[in-house]
Amino acid sequence: MRKLLPFIILFILAMLLWDAAVDPFHMSVNLDDADFDGPLGALMAAALAGGGLIIGIVVVAVVAVVLAVVFAGVGVVVCGALVLAALLGALALVPVMLPVLIPVALIWYLMMRDRRQRHSTAEAAPL
């Protein structure tokens, strides 16, 4: 197979060169039941393909911008909904957590008062 492969490639290239030599403008475009071939067909095909490519690029760019705006808007709405849900959850838990929060607040107050007294005695002591 390795010895046959160069001959196959050479044969295919010879067929391509023969096709290009016999009919160099074998491009054909069909618009509204009119068949354009030859150099005009090749020119029209290149122009229409390029135009389609430009239209495709513009469409992809517009879709990207629209999706970015939509997803940004959805992200803002989702963040707002999460904040609202957190606030509603906190409001719902306040009556339940009140018996737990009263002792925690008392312990915090006593610790802060003790800390202030230690700092005030440490500052008042002579060095």
Side-chain angles (χ1 to χ4, degrees):
M1 183 68 185
R2 288 185 182 181
K3 292 184 179 185
L4 189 61
L5 189 61
F7 293 112
I8 292 173
I9 292 174
L10 191 62
F11 180 70
I12 290 173
L13 285 174
M15 286 192 328
L16 286 173
L17 287 174
W18 178 260
D19 185 46
V22 170
D23 189 14
F25 303 107
H26 59 277
M27 188 75 65
S28 176
V29 178
N30 189 356
L31 282 176
D32 291 332
D33 293 334
D35 194 24
F36 299 100
D37 57 352
L40 179 62
L43 180 65
M44 285 181 60
L48 293 176
L53 186 65
I54 291 172
I55 290 172
I57 290 171
V58 169
V59 166
V60 167
V62 169
V63 167
V65 169
V66 168
L67 284 178
V69 170
V70 167
F71 286 157
V74 169
V76 168
V77 170
V78 167
C79 287
L82 287 174
V83 168
L84 183 63
L87 287 175
L88 290 176
L91 285 175
L93 287 178
V94 166
V96 175
M97 295 297 289
L98 193 57
V100 176
L101 290 177
I102 291 174
V104 169
L106 286 174
I107 292 171
W108 178 73
Y109 173 71
L110 292 174
M111 290 178 67
M112 290 302 291
R113 187 179 64 152
D114 186 42
R115 187 175 293 159
R116 279 192 208 140
Q117 287 177 353
R118 274 190 276 147
H119 284 302
S120 65
T121 57
E123 289 176 1
L127 294 175

